[in-house]
Amino acid sequence: MLSFSKIGPETYAGDLLVYLARQSDKGAYCCASGEVDEVICRVYGLGDFSGKEGEQLLFYPEHERQGIPTAKRILVVGLGKEVLSRELFRKAGGTIASLAMKSKAQELLLVLPDLACDKAEMVEGLSEGLVLGAYRFKKYKTKKEPDSSGEMLQQAALYAVSHKGLDKALKLGEIGAQAACKARDMANEPASHWTPGHFSEYGRQLAATHGMTCTVLNQARMEKLGMGGILGVNQGSAMPPEMVILEYAGKPGAPTLLLVGKGLTFDSGGISLKPSVGMEEMKYDMCGGAAVLCAMQAVAQARLKGLNLVAIVPATENLPGPAALKPGDVITQYGGKTVEVVNTDAEGRLILADALAYGIKKYKPDMVIDVATLTGAVIVGLGHHRTGLLANNDNLSARLLAAGERSGEPLWRLPLDQEYTKQLKSGIADLKNVGKKDGGAITAAAFLKEFVGDTPWAHLDIAGTAWDFTEKSYIPKGPSGIAVRTLFDFVRNWKG
Ligand code: BES
Ligand code: ZN
Ligand code: ZN
């Protein structure tokens, strides 16, 4: 979708020519040619456009007039006067994409401003914003909506006098954003159309395309291995569980990172049934699984070399069928620990525990990150802006916090003292699956901690950010594709 253009704004005769403008005390300024600058000046005088962040000025040039570019439409987007950051450019990219789609533009040319900032960050931010902001999920719409006249944005080209050394930034931004869009697609699909089998199918497809190894553990294999967590949660469903394992070889001898993602394709709560209002959103309970598979896609497509990766997605539904787990049942997790299932709605930790324990035993990773829509409690604590981070390792935490910051997906670390684990004491088994209501995001993580041993491990609770994420130009209403770009960035920035 993205490329650098050799055609400059003077000769461009396409759908939409875009400039970026900074706000200043004397008016908006951008690096457009004379006539466009004149329009900006005039509109500034009217008080309608000052270059404030997110502000837009769209006009339709008369081509007979000398000096005005021959494009059909010209758009100027404000960058404000704050410090220039990748997030600022990402948001500008999102604004451009949505405006392009509101008009009938199918392609555009964006003129890179000559500003004093890191050019690679600028290009990568714009590239991410354009792709993320152009995302729509229209698969199940048979008719065009009357107000959304726009077609999909097909092509966006960037223009700079010199784009030497910037191709990589453009490409990496696009790869990460496209992977996040794929994760949004998976989440948008109804539970009937994104099943555990679809996770396996996509894993195999990724492996074939990018030269990775994909293994799928089926129900019989899980029984042999003693994965009582995922098997227990699956008991009430008519669809068998699947555990998808994807391996990426970055470099022999490099450290191995294990990623585990919750692939709960529908969470009704099981016998501890959820209230029906809003239950349809529980098709999104697979966003952790989507995030790790799509992060693998991005890493493999970019051929990153710093780390070896293994991704595991335990996938099942949680339904109250006749054979479903009952509150009070005791299960045996992979590795032998017994768990009293006090609440069948706390199912994510049961399937993750098997995947974490198995992945650590089998692949002996140097570090582990799991991603899961695990608790409503994390939403109470952090709302919809920051993902909850809980970890047994400060270095891993710091790296993830930095990766999230760079990606526009901020995290917030919560404590995980041993004291919290006390809530998980069971009268009849090694552990029970829920503690008291208070501190629910922490006790959920405390449960997982029992299955990772001494391996450096971090847990991302994305329940508040996987959908309904902070409103931004490049974040759509439904699923956000959260954590894909953070994980991609984490791997990219891995150094010793
Ligand atoms: N998938 C849910 C968590 C969730 C809730 C995600 C809301 C996104 C939005 C999880 O399986 C769950 O049901 N957790 C329970 C745990 C409780 C029973 C201890 C919860 O948070 O209510
Ligand atoms: Zn649940
Ligand atoms: Zn769940």
Side-chain angles (χ1 to χ4, degrees):
M1 176 185 163
L2 302 180
S3 60
F4 276 104
S5 168
K6 287 196 190 74
I7 299 170
E10 297 81 17
T11 40
Y12 172 74
D15 286 352
L16 181 65
L17 177 61
V18 186
Y19 291 99
L20 297 170
R22 281 289 260 174
Q23 189 180 11
S24 85
D25 300 334
K26 294 186 211 85
Y29 70 94
C30 77
C31 317
S33 56
E35 291 281 331
V36 175
D37 265 338
E38 215 174 85
V39 174
I40 294 173
C41 240
R42 191 151 40 81
V43 180
Y44 176 78
L46 295 171
D48 288 4
F49 182 82
S50 64
K52 228 168 51 198
E53 202 213 317
E55 226 177 14
Q56 305 153 20
L57 166 59
L58 178 67
F59 64 100
Y60 301 83
E62 283 176 68
H63 293 147
E64 298 77 46
R65 280 185 61 190
Q66 265 245 311
I68 213 107
T70 46
K72 295 190 187 107
R73 307 167 182 83
I74 296 181
L75 169 67
V76 188
V77 169
L79 286 177
K81 50 184 168 190
E82 300 302 312
V83 180
L84 294 166
S85 65
R86 187 155 126 208
E87 175 71 357
L88 191 73
F89 288 114
R90 215 180 263 131
K91 288 194 269 186
T95 303
I96 296 165
S98 57
L99 204 126
M101 291 170 73
K102 259 187 229 144
S103 71
K104 293 221 194 275
Q106 294 200 10
E107 54 80 34
L108 61 84
L109 179 70
L110 166 58
V111 181
L112 293 183
D114 189 13
L115 295 167
C117 65
D118 184 327
K119 292 288 183 309
E121 289 282 292
M122 169 164 82
V123 167
E124 186 158 349
L126 288 168
S127 159
E128 290 173 304
L130 283 166
V131 175
L132 292 167
Y135 179 82
R136 300 287 181 276
F137 188 76
K138 291 194 175 168
K139 186 172 162 192
Y140 296 101
K141 296 268 188 202
T142 60
K143 287 195 205 82
K144 266 194 192 165
E145 278 161 33
D147 58 334
S148 70
S149 53
E151 292 300 316
M152 295 301 229
L153 180 64
Q154 304 290 342
Q155 293 285 329
L158 272 56
Y159 176 78
V161 179
S162 160
H163 63 264
K164 227 177 115 206
L166 296 175
D167 296 273
K168 193 175 155 202
L170 186 79
K171 198 71 213 149
L172 289 174
E174 184 177 21
I175 287 175
Q178 278 175 343
C181 289
K182 180 64 205 179
R184 292 174 180 176
D185 274 343
M186 294 176 180
N188 268 314
E189 286 289 355
S192 56
H193 286 66
W194 194 265
T195 64
H198 287 85
F199 266 123
S200 303
E201 200 182 299
Y202 198 71
R204 290 196 182 99
Q205 199 182 311
L206 278 183
T209 316
H210 298 293
M212 294 189 268
T213 311
C214 181
T215 317
V216 177
L217 308 183
N218 63 13
Q219 184 158 1
R221 189 90 184 89
M222 290 183 215
E223 276 160 11
K224 280 217 183 72
L225 289 165
M227 295 182 162
I230 183 167
L231 291 167
V233 171
N234 181 254
Q235 275 169 212
S237 164
M239 253 175 238
E242 316 231 352
M243 190 158 320
V244 190
I245 308 176
L246 203 53
E247 293 168 68
Y248 171 76
K251 192 173 72 187
T256 297
L257 165 65
L258 170 65
L259 299 174
V260 174
K262 174 176 173 182
L264 222 295
T265 58
F266 190 78
D267 183 11
S268 72
I271 296 297
S272 313
L273 196 64
K274 285 181 181 296
S276 51
V277 174
M279 202 205 271
E280 70 281 2
E281 292 191 328
M282 282 300 125
K283 70 171 185 175
Y284 298 146
D285 211 17
M286 36 54 71
C287 284
V292 308
L293 278 198
C294 295
M296 292 293 275
Q297 167 179 323
V299 168
Q301 206 179 334
R303 303 200 176 287
L304 300 185
K305 297 267 182 286
L307 289 171
N308 297 305
L309 277 102
V310 180
I312 306 188
V313 180
T316 175
E317 300 177 319
N318 184 24
L319 289 177
L325 269 185
K326 294 170 284 292
D329 283 357
V330 174
I331 57 164
T332 305
Q333 301 270 180
Y334 176 83
K337 282 201 173 86
T338 56
V339 175
E340 180 189 2
V341 181
V342 172
N343 189 320
T344 64
D345 197 10
E347 83 300 335
R349 59 199 79 183
L350 304 178
I351 70 169
L352 290 171
D354 281 345
L356 286 166
Y358 177 76
I360 289 170
K361 176 108 190 284
K362 168 109 186 168
Y363 298 98
K364 300 184 176 50
D366 298 277
M367 61 201 140
V368 187
I369 301 171
D370 79 73
V371 188
T373 46
L374 205 61
T375 66
V378 83
I379 312 176
V380 176
L382 299 178
H384 296 281
H385 182 52
R386 283 181 189 262
T387 292
L389 163 67
L390 297 106
N392 66 2
N393 184 283
D394 293 343
N395 184 277
L396 185 53
S397 274
R399 285 173 186 268
L400 274 166
L401 284 165
E405 210 55 54
R406 285 191 295 266
S407 309
E409 300 184 335
L411 312 166
W412 194 260
R413 190 175 179 183
L414 298 170
L416 193 50
D417 310 77
Q418 200 54 35
E419 276 68 22
Y420 293 101
T421 313
K422 289 183 194 155
Q423 287 193 31
L424 300 173
K425 275 205 184 118
S426 160
I428 68 160
D430 296 338
L431 287 166
K432 56 180 181 180
N433 74 331
V434 296
K436 298 192 194 91
K437 193 166 133 274
D438 303 342
I442 304 177
T443 47
F447 182 89
L448 299 178
K449 192 170 160 227
E450 295 300 300
F451 296 88
V452 299
D454 296 328
T455 309
W457 155 78
H459 157 65
L460 308 186
D461 192 335
I462 58 168
T465 50
W467 67 99
D468 288 346
F469 184 42
T470 317
E471 246 184 83
K472 304 190 214 185
S473 62
Y474 65 88
I475 304 291
K477 279 234 154 50
S480 60
I482 199 87
V484 174
R485 291 182 307 103
T486 297
L487 292 172
F488 183 42
D489 182 286
F490 177 92
V491 178
R492 269 173 69 187
N493 283 288
W494 181 268
K495 274 175 217 87

